Amino acid sequence: MNILVQYEFRPQPGSNFINLIESVKVVAALWRKYGAEPSLWSVNVGEAGNLSFTVPFATFADYGKCMDALTADPDFRLWQTQNSDAGNGQWIRSNLYRHMSI
């Protein structure tokens, strides 16, 4: 793995956590449809309570190929709308990391 994309978010106060996790499962399946291997992390130190959805890639080319396919998928666009409308989570940040050998 040389590239890592990360989406950090937190549950909205009073929201349904089960619905939030189910939404994450739906989008993870969409990423997998295009060859990605996403995972979900719970932040336990620092910004405790946040969740981090991460997806590793071997190369920028692999990342780009997946993202092009994912963002063109009508099911992904529908998920984006439904996820936003549900209001279960609040986006914190997104990052794209490149591994540096030291």
Side-chain angles (χ1 to χ4, degrees), residues 43-95:
V43 178
N44 292 295
V45 174
E47 295 176 300
N50 286 359
L51 299 170
S52 186
F53 183 88
T54 63
V55 190
F57 294 94
T59 66
F60 272 116
D62 292 340
Y63 165 72
K65 181 179 177 183
C66 180
M67 285 302 295
D68 285 349
L70 182 66
T71 58
D73 187 323
D75 290 335
F76 180 69
R77 291 194 300 267
L78 177 61
W79 175 86
Q80 287 177 303
T81 300
Q82 291 173 336
N83 186 60
S84 178
D85 290 349
N88 289 319
Q90 176 187 3
W91 174 82
I92 305 298
R93 72 184 59 84
S94 300
N95 292 298

Side-chain angles (χ1 to χ4, degrees), residues 18-39:
I18 292 171
N19 288 347
L20 176 62
I21 296 302
E22 289 303 316
S23 180
V24 171
K25 288 179 182 180
V26 169
V27 79
L30 290 168
W31 281 85
R32 287 186 190 104
K33 181 177 175 180
Y34 299 106
E37 297 179 23
S39 59

